[in-house]
Amino acid sequence: MSRKAAEILAAQVIAKPDCVLGLATGSTPVGAYQQLIRWCREGILDFSHVKTVNLDEYKGLKPDNDQSYRYFMNQNLFSGINIRLENTHVPDGAEEDSGKACRDYDRVIEEAGGVDLQLLGIGHDGHIGFNEPSEYFSKGTSCVTLAERTIEANKRFFSSADEVPRRAYTMGIGSIMKAEKILIVVSGEDKAEITAKAFGGPVTPEVPASILQFHPDVTLVADKAALSKWKESGR
Ligand code: PGA
């Protein structure tokens, strides 16, 4: 799964060396990032003209906090490839004014010229970025309250669930849907049910990832376990 995802990301960088990649955190993309680092070290990939915009960041965490998504990206990808750090963007978790943080990030995406390829993972509740189940699909960057299920899933990175920030800035569903191409990676049996719902069920903001059924260019890369329930559903 990671190898396939890395190939799709690499193909984008080779086809358009000054592309804009939308990137994601979480455990799922780590293997793909490691492969990209290897290819960059071998001289197969050149990131010197690539720009990146990440999906989300915890509100209240500074970039040097080792639980922040900026720190994660630096550690898991940026420090291993020849990208210019000033070309990499993550919402500013240290900005206390939510309105400003969101407006600023929408401007960053716009000034980058839009996303060529957006990498996504999926949460157990169907979130993409930190867009949690809701009554509507968000348009631009917003400040969200994390669902209990997300806090439970993410507490493994913190000393306790209490340490997980309750708020986050996330790219909106509208912005994600504007990406030219989308690559969603999913792994593990614990994601089987939500994968079946998102791709084989109705399109609803209660399952934010279901909106991807309406995107014209989505590639789902998953392992067998993650696909098991979708196959069973026959849809
Ligand atoms: P994971 O997170 O890759 O760590 O499962 C995915 C997500 O919550 O979007």
Side-chain angles (χ1 to χ4, degrees):
M1 181 203 70
S2 296
R3 168 80 187 209
K4 189 77 200 165
E7 282 171 4
I8 293 169
L9 288 159
Q12 175 66 61
V13 173
I14 290 167
K16 188 177 175 192
D18 61 347
C19 65
V20 179
L21 296 179
L23 297 178
T25 52
S27 306
T28 318
V30 169
Y33 290 160
Q34 285 168 356
Q35 183 62 62
L36 293 179
I37 291 170
R38 279 195 290 275
W39 282 332
C40 188
R41 292 208 173 124
E42 289 164 12
I44 295 167
L45 283 180
D46 174 15
F47 287 87
S48 60
H49 299 291
V50 171
K51 286 186 212 150
T52 67
V53 286
N54 258 79
L55 284 168
D56 45 17
E57 178 61 283
Y58 289 114
K59 182 176 179 182
L61 298 194
K62 298 202 171 107
D64 60 354
N65 185 309
D66 61 6
Q67 303 299 347
S68 75
Y69 284 171
R70 160 54 76 180
Y71 190 92
F72 175 100
M73 289 309 299
N74 288 351
Q75 288 293 114
N76 286 285
L77 182 64
F78 300 148
S79 60
I81 59 176
N82 67 333
I83 198 160
R84 294 163 58 176
L85 262 195
E86 64 268 31
N87 285 345
T88 69
H89 305 282
V90 180
D92 182 4
E95 175 58 67
E96 283 172 22
D97 178 343
S98 301
K100 181 174 182 323
C102 296
R103 280 191 306 277
D104 286 353
Y105 204 60
D106 281 339
R107 200 171 317 117
V108 162
I109 299 166
E110 201 186 310
E111 283 172 5
V115 175
D116 291 294
L117 175 60
Q118 176 69 56
L119 174 64
L120 297 174
I122 187 172
H124 295 102
D125 60 1
H127 71 214
I128 46 177
F130 267 140
N131 294 287
E132 301 285 19
S134 158
E135 285 167 4
Y136 61 92
F137 291 112
S138 64
K139 291 194 181 76
T141 306
S142 54
C143 180
V144 295
T145 301
L146 300 187
E148 273 311 311
R149 203 147 174 212
T150 304
I151 292 166
E152 269 303 300
N154 290 8
K155 73 176 186 197
R156 67 191 194 276
F157 301 112
F158 294 81
S159 44
S160 72
D162 289 346
E163 302 287 309
V164 184
R166 267 35 186 181
R167 311 269 285 166
Y169 298 130
T170 182
M171 201 188 273
I173 295 281
S175 307
I176 292 171
M177 288 294 282
K178 278 192 202 154
E180 282 282 314
K181 295 187 283 286
I182 290 181
L183 166 61
I184 178 160
V185 285
V186 192
S187 113
E189 207 187 334
D190 57 316
K191 297 278 176 76
E193 201 172 320
I194 195 62
T195 304
K197 265 195 192 166
F199 295 98
V203 174
T204 162
E206 289 299 328
V207 182
S210 65
I211 191 78
L212 299 175
Q213 295 181 41
F214 288 161
H215 192 283
D217 192 341
V218 178
T219 306
L220 166 67
V221 176
D223 59 15
K224 282 192 181 146
L227 290 177
S228 56
K229 296 221 163 104
W230 186 17
K231 268 192 175 164
E232 277 166 21
S233 79
R235 292 192 55 170

